[in-house]
Amino acid sequence: MTRINVKVDGVDHTDEVEPRMLLVHYLREQVGRTGTVVGCDTSNCGACTVHLDGRSVKSCNVLAVQADGHEVTTIEGIADGDRLHAMQQAFHDCHALQCGYCTPGMIMQSIDLLNDNPNPSEDEIRHGLEGNLCRCTGYHNIVKAVQQAAGAGVGGGGGR
Amino acid sequence: MIPASFDYVAPATLDEALAALQRHGDGAKIIAGGQSLLPILRMRLNAPEILVDLGKVSELRGVFDDGPGLVIGAMTRYDELLSDPLAGAHAKLLVDAVATVADPQIRHRGTVGGALAHADPAGDVGAPALALDAQFVVVGPRGQRVVDGADFFVDHFTTAVGDDEILAAIRIPKHTGWGTRYEKFVRVVHQWSIVGVAAAVRVEGDTIAEAKIGLTNMGSTPVRARSAEQALAGVPIEEGAVAAAVASVAEGTNPPSDLQGDADYRRHLAQVLTRRAVLAAAGA
Ligand SMILES: Cc1cc2nc3c(=O)[nH]c(=O)nc-3n(C[C@H](O)[C@H](O)[C@H](O)COP(=O)(O)OP(=O)(O)OC[C@H]3O[C@@H](n4cnc5c(N)ncnc54)[C@H](O)[C@@H]3O)c2cc1C
Ligand code: FES
Ligand code: FES
């Protein structure tokens, strides 16, 4: 067992974990943040996307021990109380989900995308989401949601 | 899918990392970004006794100017390379290729050294490194040695780096002002190349003065297309002339046949993609 210190959604955690434990399992099973889901388990689908020190990663492809000393933000850590993050609100407004399984990862990656590029073209949005698969929506409304959030200032600092 | 059990150390220095490799012999495995290794461990294709994590070895990270060349630390993440001004100015071909690797999440974790040490023949980092005459700085218990590209890549997933050694950095001679293009042919955008072509050209007036070309997935290692490079020297930047010069680029290569395409198809692709890459690199 290895002792790790990780800040998850603003709260410090100290835990003993097996080195082989994947970050996504640590978040779900040990910290109880089940908003982050496992889709493919092969690092392809992006459903498990979280932010590690503010940058998006696939949490099924990171070990919990690699997050030692770092800060993780999950889909459960972006709203302000009952007030949704502008990206969550945009997904809601634009009907950017159907079954919703890809949504936690899609939203986390979309926020990362706008942090990098606050005013992306449609093409840049589609490329920025190339590591996130959606089997329901055909992506159209997801692109619209990211455009709405960009218009609301996500990535420009006014996103909350 | 959960990997088999292993121990874990995260040394803070290169010396400590080397000592850990020595202590554990061939039961030890290095983990850099983990973006190739973790899928392998999860599928239990490999079961090391201990992982030596280079994530905290800060001396292996970053891009430095040593005068005639750039030194790129092995632990430099893709994402860091993409925004690095030195790499953009002097090793643009590598940047172009890295921009096509996987997806943003994987580019936030994957490292230049991890990709080169992994030596997947379908990986996109080897061919541009080879084309730009990269030298590989390998450290081990007997000190440091510098390996040329031709000797670094040995076979599928096999390099000159020994079990007790670490790839510390690559050194790339500056290619300032060269035109560059990485042409990657894929069916699914975030996947590995079916064939990739890395081309850098130095233009004088309206002719190609010098060209450097690396091929991805055209054999068990990245391939340097020397005869096409020679044929391109002095050729006007014009489609027919470039096409003629690169017509035999796939000669002598031994590409794989798999579900994505057979060897003949790949040879055809190599020729088409080389023409496109060279013309684009020359600004045509
Ligand atoms: C979904 C997906 C899509 C991908 N698509 C592409 C793609 O399109 N193109 C592409 O090129 N790659 C692709 N990759 C692979 C990606 O580029 C990996 O990041 C890279 O191959 C390995 O880098 P890493 O830092 O993650 O290394 P790791 O996975 O940590 O290590 C890889 C291997 O190298 C060894 N190693 C690592 N660093 C060193 C070192 N400094 N010295 C000695 N040995 C070392 C490790 O022991 C291990 O055997 C993809 C991966 C995934 C999961
Ligand atoms: S569950 Fe992590 S990428 Fe699919
Ligand atoms: S909404 Fe069902 S997978 Fe995207």
Side-chain angles (χ1 to χ4, degrees):
Chain A
M1 300 291 259
T2 301
R3 176 180 293 260
I4 59 170
N5 294 296
V6 187
K7 187 179 257 190
V8 180
D9 295 334
V11 179
D12 287 313
H13 292 263
T14 300
D15 281 298
E16 298 279 337
V17 298
E18 270 194 86
R20 64 171 167 166
M21 185 179 236
L22 302 175
L23 179 59
V24 68
H25 293 141
Y26 172 71
L27 294 172
R28 290 176 58 82
E29 290 161 22
Q30 206 138 340
V31 183
R33 296 264 146 177
T34 51
T36 301
V37 295
V38 176
C40 64
D41 221 2
T42 57
S43 322
N44 278 284
C45 76
C48 64
T49 300
V50 300
H51 293 181
L52 184 58
D53 293 337
R55 300 317 308 269
S56 61
V57 300
K58 293 178 172 178
S59 61
C60 74
N61 218 20
V62 177
L63 295 169
V65 288
Q66 290 179 295
D68 177 39
H70 298 278
E71 190 169 342
V72 177
T73 307
T74 77
I75 186 72
E76 297 187 50
I78 58 173
D80 183 6
D82 285 341
R83 202 165 140 242
L84 294 180
H85 185 283
M87 188 65 75
Q88 292 173 305
Q89 189 63 49
F91 270 62
H92 179 94
D93 294 347
C94 298
H95 195 61
L97 57 141
Q98 289 176 26
C99 81
Y101 204 81
C102 69
T103 312
M106 208 53 100
I107 287 177
M108 296 311 284
Q109 180 52 31
S110 298
I111 294 171
D112 185 271
L113 163 63
L114 292 190
N115 285 343
D116 228 22
N117 178 359
N119 291 300
S121 65
E122 178 180 340
D123 200 47
E124 287 168 338
I125 293 172
R126 290 184 182 276
H127 271 288
L129 297 175
E130 67 196 9
N132 293 72
L133 305 181
C134 176
R135 295 288 88 145
C136 302
T137 64
Y139 302 98
H140 203 66
N141 287 350
I142 293 175
V143 174
K144 278 194 200 155
V146 177
Q147 286 167 331
Q148 173 178 318
V154 176
R160 275 211 157 178
Chain B
M1 287 189 299
I2 299 172
S5 289
F6 48 75
D7 289 333
Y8 172 85
V9 283
T13 67
L14 186 53
D15 285 342
E16 285 170 38
L18 287 168
L21 290 181
Q22 280 252 280
R23 214 166 25 250
H24 300 283
D26 59 10
K29 191 100 187 108
I30 291 168
I31 181 165
Q35 300 305 291
S36 289
L37 186 61
L38 289 175
I40 289 169
L41 297 186
R42 278 166 18 205
M43 288 184 278
R44 303 208 176 188
L45 299 173
N46 196 332
E49 285 158 28
I50 183 165
L51 289 190
V52 178
D53 187 350
L54 300 183
K56 293 186 171 153
V57 185
S58 51
E59 64 202 280
L60 294 180
R61 205 158 161 185
V63 180
F64 309 95
D65 191 329
D66 78 352
L70 292 188
V71 176
I72 301 173
M75 287 299 292
T76 307
R77 296 190 196 285
Y78 292 141
D79 180 54
E80 293 164 344
L81 187 83
L82 289 174
S83 59
D84 187 273
L86 286 172
H90 308 296
K92 177 79 174 6
L93 183 59
L94 189 67
V95 175
D96 292 351
V98 162
T100 74
V101 169
D103 53 51
Q105 292 97 316
I106 287 170
R107 293 195 295 268
H108 290 149
R109 295 291 298 168
T111 66
V112 173
L116 293 167
H118 189 55
D120 183 338
D124 296 298
V125 187
L130 197 62
L132 294 179
D133 298 309
Q135 292 184 308
F136 297 75
V137 182
V138 179
V139 294
R142 291 164 304 281
Q144 175 180 311
R145 62 199 179 97
V146 177
V147 182
D148 282 338
D151 300 320
F152 181 81
F153 296 105
V154 176
D155 202 349
H156 299 98
F157 303 103
T158 310
T159 69
V161 182
D163 276 347
D164 55 358
E165 292 184 312
I166 293 175
L167 173 63
I170 59 170
R171 187 181 173 283
I172 293 184
K174 285 182 184 168
H175 286 71
T176 319
W178 287 56
T180 60
R181 177 69 147 224
Y182 188 66
E183 280 286 329
K184 173 170 177 172
F185 197 82
V186 280
R187 294 198 310 185
V188 178
V189 73
H190 73 160
Q191 290 294 353
W192 287 261
S193 286
I194 298 173
V195 172
V197 175
V201 302
R202 191 167 59 75
V203 170
E204 272 173 16
D206 47 16
T207 60
I208 293 169
E210 210 180 333
K212 297 189 176 183
I213 296 168
L215 309 177
T216 300
N217 215 9
M218 286 298 289
S220 60
T221 64
V223 173
R224 183 81 184 259
R226 298 266 184 199
S227 62
E229 292 179 2
Q230 276 154 21
L232 280 165
V235 161
I237 301 167
E238 184 257 301
E239 177 152 1
V242 169
V246 306
S248 55
V249 68
E251 231 166 66
T253 60
N254 192 14
S257 288
D258 56 28
L259 286 176
Q260 311 260 23
D262 61 23
D264 279 341
Y265 176 61
R266 284 196 162 87
R267 287 194 191 94
H268 168 76
L269 279 179
Q271 191 185 328
V272 173
L273 298 175
T274 304
R275 185 196 55 196
R276 286 184 194 160
V278 169
L279 285 168

